[in-house]
Amino acid sequence: MALGLEREDGENPSRTRRRNRGRKLQYATVMYDGKAQPLGRSGSRKTCLVSYRRFSPSWWGAERPFPGIKNGTPDLCIQVRFFFGEDVGWTKSQYRRFQRVPLWSLLPLLTLALAVEIVISTGAGYVEIPPVDVARIIAAHLTGADGLVAQLDKVASVVVTDVRLPRILTSVIVGAGLAVSGAVFQGILLNPLADPYTLGVSAGAAFGASLALSLNLALFGLWPVPLFAFAGAVATLMVVIWLAAGSGDLSSGSLILAGIIVAAILSAGVSFLKYMADEQVGVIIFWLMGSFASKTWQEVFIAAVAVGAGLAVCLFFSRDLNLLALGHRTAGSLGVAPRKVSMVLLVCTSLMAAVCVAVSGIIGFVGLLVPHMVRFVTGPDNRRLIPASALAGAALLLLGDTVTRAVLPQEIPIGVITALIGGPVFCYIYRRRHMRRLI
């Protein structure tokens, strides 16, 4: 838990610096002329914002220079120490950049960019359709005004509504669900490497789908493979929670360890099924790499309901998720039920990720990379981070699917594209943050 040091009346700022010299936690704040001035580490050129514990409203003064501090309750900056490194806080430039991008302007911009990307992506492909015609076809189906498409080719209308839009909307919904799940997992487990598959959901879904494909259940229709994948993911989640809660302490370390153990066992099971599958091994490998090919409106509806419900729950508990970063004891003293909130969010996001995996297969790096990218713009406040991550994840996964569908000469599984793009970008972010700690 981060440390906040309250200023005693009349205390000399230089004395406060000396008192904190040599401490690993640099989060101390003093008052200069009625304004809070954060201090960085001793010997560091950084000036960092602080990670708060509890301060009385009167201590801050009337101006309250940092957003998110209302009535002495920390909301915004409490996750700074975790998300920006153990010895590196939120720099002044990052704070100013956050102030220039308020939520009321960021979300409409991301929504508009996503809508434009959907229209352009729908028109791209083997059959080129102008974006204006795509917009007219979508508007005609939404409003029922058939006059908008009276002059258009019927083939274009069928291609847009029955072939491309289900695939595109599925990629948008899955990208949003994986990004939100990753942001929530990183906030609960306090681990920057956490993603929607940390608790073994992907391994369970892979085992269930591999079992269904090896038994040739795909011959009975569209739904056996996704249902087996979802059942495997849910069963894995229940086993992981049961193992982690065996000691009575549902901590992040026990959850991560239980997820790693169960995922290793299931990965061995998937390898055994691939060995025994003979001619079905190619189908299993293709499903494991993820794809949005041949999606239907039914799958769009199921994914939209699951992701929409999960997003609503995450937004409802976003403020409590902020407080959980202070530690369970401090969050409990501020009126949050840590065990209840953690369990609700873990189950909700895991089920959301399970539905996404059942629909599209295993797609990596979206839930891991997108929250880190969005934090550079929104900051660590989950009330801003979660909706922005949903839109950014949807746009990123749609971009990858469009590249593999309409740009490359041969379609490549989307999981390969996200790994090829996300891996180097994540390495760059990690290297940049590591070099910033050395300055």
Side-chain angles (χ1 to χ4, degrees):
M1 184 177 66
L3 178 65
L5 298 177
E6 298 191 24
R7 179 186 67 93
E8 298 179 1
D9 291 336
E11 183 169 317
N12 190 340
S14 62
R15 178 184 173 187
T16 305
R17 286 195 184 94
R18 290 194 300 270
R19 183 178 63 183
N20 291 284
R21 185 168 298 163
R23 295 194 181 191
K24 199 171 186 180
L25 298 177
Q26 78 277 23
Y27 309 110
T29 302
V30 295
M31 301 288 286
Y32 293 95
D33 300 327
K35 294 184 179 180
Q37 300 289 335
L39 300 177
R41 276 182 303 172
S42 175
S44 173
R45 293 196 298 272
K46 290 186 178 66
T47 301
C48 303
L49 291 181
V50 297
S51 184
Y52 298 102
R53 196 161 59 178
R54 294 180 69 181
F55 296 105
S56 62
S58 59
W59 186 81
W60 287 100
E63 296 185 13
R64 286 205 302 269
F66 300 130
I69 303 299
K70 298 179 180 178
N71 299 324
T73 302
D75 283 334
L76 175 65
C77 299
I78 53 178
Q79 289 176 306
V80 170
R81 175 175 177 250
F82 160 63
F83 285 124
F84 289 95
E86 190 172 5
D87 291 324
V88 179
W90 199 1
T91 63
K92 280 186 174 181
S93 61
Q94 291 167 334
Y95 178 65
R96 287 194 297 267
R97 183 167 64 247
F98 162 74
Q99 283 191 314
R100 289 199 298 265
V101 189
L103 187 65
W104 63 267
S105 62
L106 177 63
L107 293 186
L109 288 175
L110 289 176
T111 304
L112 179 61
L114 179 61
V116 172
E117 186 181 0
I118 290 175
V119 173
I120 295 175
S121 176
T122 305
Y126 182 77
V127 179
E128 292 286 345
I129 302 175
V132 177
D133 294 345
V134 172
R136 292 171 61 184
I137 293 172
I138 296 175
H141 282 80
L142 290 178
T143 61
D146 296 334
L148 294 174
V149 294
Q151 305 297 327
L152 298 180
D153 188 4
K154 293 183 179 181
V155 175
S157 179
V158 172
V159 168
V160 170
T161 57
D162 296 336
V163 179
R164 292 182 182 173
L165 268 184
R167 172 173 182 158
I168 288 171
L169 293 181
T170 302
S171 65
V172 167
I173 295 168
V174 170
L178 293 178
V180 170
S181 299
V184 173
F185 266 84
Q186 291 171 9
I188 293 176
L189 302 179
L190 299 181
N191 191 326
L193 296 180
D195 65 357
Y197 308 143
T198 299
L199 300 188
V201 171
S202 62
F207 182 80
S210 300
L211 181 62
L213 292 172
S214 62
L215 296 176
N216 289 323
L217 296 182
L219 299 177
F220 295 95
L222 177 66
W223 296 105
V225 175
L227 287 177
F228 268 68
F230 180 76
V234 173
T236 302
L237 175 64
M238 296 175 61
V239 171
V240 168
I241 293 177
W242 175 72
L243 288 175
S247 60
D249 181 20
L250 197 64
S251 63
S252 60
S254 60
L255 283 169
I256 294 174
L257 183 59
I260 292 174
I261 294 173
V262 175
I265 297 173
L266 293 175
S267 297
V270 171
S271 299
F272 176 75
L273 290 175
K274 289 192 291 185
Y275 176 77
M276 300 294 295
D278 293 332
E279 67 273 4
Q280 294 294 327
V281 64
V283 180
I284 294 176
I285 293 175
F286 182 80
W287 189 93
L288 293 178
M289 289 188 293
S291 176
F292 292 110
S294 304
K295 297 305 172 186
T296 64
W297 285 107
Q298 292 177 332
E299 293 172 294
V300 173
F301 176 76
I302 292 175
V305 171
V307 173
L311 178 60
V313 173
C314 293
L315 289 175
F316 181 79
F317 287 102
S318 59
R319 182 180 178 276
D320 296 339
L321 184 59
N322 284 344
L323 297 178
L324 286 179
L326 291 170
H328 285 191
R329 182 175 300 178
T330 305
S333 67
L334 294 173
V336 178
R339 187 180 180 90
K340 175 184 175 182
V341 173
S342 299
M343 183 61 66
V344 169
L345 290 176
L346 283 174
V347 172
C348 177
T349 52
S350 296
L351 292 178
M352 184 165 55
V355 173
C356 294
V357 171
V359 169
S360 63
I362 300 176
I363 300 175
F365 277 98
V366 176
L368 175 63
L369 179 64
V370 170
H372 287 284
M373 296 173 62
V374 173
R375 284 191 193 98
F376 285 111
V377 180
T378 65
D381 186 3
N382 288 285
R383 295 173 301 177
R384 296 170 171 84
L385 177 65
I386 289 175
S389 295
L391 294 173
L396 178 64
L397 195 56
L398 176 58
L399 177 62
D401 183 62
T402 303
V403 169
T404 184
R405 176 180 60 85
V407 177
L408 298 180
Q410 183 177 0
E411 183 170 340
I412 299 176
I414 185 62
V416 178
I417 296 295
T418 56
L420 290 176
I421 297 175
V425 173
F426 188 76
C427 291
Y428 168 75
I429 294 174
Y430 174 78
R431 180 65 177 174
R432 179 182 177 184
R433 186 169 300 172
H434 179 68
M435 294 301 295
R436 186 176 296 170
R437 293 181 61 180
L438 298 178
I439 298 176

